[in-house]
């Protein structure tokens, strides 16, 4: 029952949803993935393994991918960028606001596995 499945998926945390998607065979993954709203798909996408992300990129319409990826925080986007085709990342980068774009473009300059790749740009305010 599609309606019941959609209702159940809406209540799941993104990490739990990613766990379920990864545990399923590819044909069932696609069925579940198509039921996830673009607003929630980005958070779930970040939680997936690189291999599963790559398989979903191949089967997800480009417009859906763009909508999902442009909603992501620049640091989450940095986490998934290596799983995405360069042309798609170029288009996503163009759609980001200038501040988000600078954070994203600075973050992807670091090699995967390096300390800079894992650092966060969150700032702490000093007490007055």
């Amino acid at each position: 029952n599609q309606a019941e499945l959609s209702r159940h998926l809406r209540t799941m945390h993104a990490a739990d949803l990613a766990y379920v998607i990864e545990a399923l065979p590819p044909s069932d993954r696609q069925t579940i993935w198509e039921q996830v709203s673009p607003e929630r798909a980005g958070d779930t996408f970040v939680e997936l393994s690189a291999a599963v992300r790559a398989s979903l990129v191949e089967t997800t319409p480009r417009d859906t991918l763009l909508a999902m990826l442009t909603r992501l925080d620049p640091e989450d986007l940095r986490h998934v960028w290596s799983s995405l085709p360069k042309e798609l990342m170029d288009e996503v980068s163009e759609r980001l606001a200038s501040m988000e774009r600078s954070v994203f473009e600075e973050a992807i300059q670091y090699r995967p596995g390096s300390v800079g790749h894992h650092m966060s740009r969150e700032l702490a305010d000093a007490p007055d």
Side-chain angles (χ1 to χ4, degrees):
N1 184 337
Q2 294 284 10
E4 187 175 333
L5 174 62
S6 288
R7 187 173 38 80
H8 186 66
L9 293 175
R10 281 192 303 268
T11 64
M12 294 180 75
H13 185 275
D16 296 331
L17 184 52
Y19 179 79
V20 168
I21 290 171
E22 290 204 4
L24 294 170
S27 61
D28 292 337
R29 277 183 195 151
Q30 190 62 35
T31 301
I32 297 296
W33 183 244
E34 289 171 358
Q35 296 298 313
V36 179
S37 69
E39 295 80 22
R40 298 203 55 234
D43 293 334
T44 304
F45 192 74
V46 170
E47 299 290 336
L48 294 167
S49 68
V52 173
R53 279 194 304 261
S55 71
L56 292 175
V57 166
E58 291 176 9
T59 59
T60 303
R62 187 175 189 86
D63 290 342
T64 303
L65 286 171
L66 288 169
M68 174 188 75
L69 294 169
T70 54
R71 285 185 174 100
L72 286 177
D73 170 282
E75 297 205 5
D76 286 340
L77 193 54
R78 174 198 66 192
H79 178 73
V80 300
W81 75 273
S82 61
S83 302
L84 302 167
K86 182 180 178 341
E87 317 80 58
L88 181 63
M89 286 312 305
D90 290 344
E91 192 168 345
V92 169
S93 180
E94 288 174 13
R95 291 182 180 207
L96 294 175
S98 65
M99 181 60 173
E100 290 175 325
R101 185 179 315 118
S102 70
V103 170
F104 170 68
E105 289 175 353
E106 181 181 312
I108 63 172
Q109 298 303 312
Y110 296 100
R111 290 185 327 273
S114 70
V115 173
H117 181 76
H118 296 286
M119 289 187 337
S120 172
R121 288 207 41 181
E122 293 177 12
L123 303 173
D125 286 334
D128 291 330

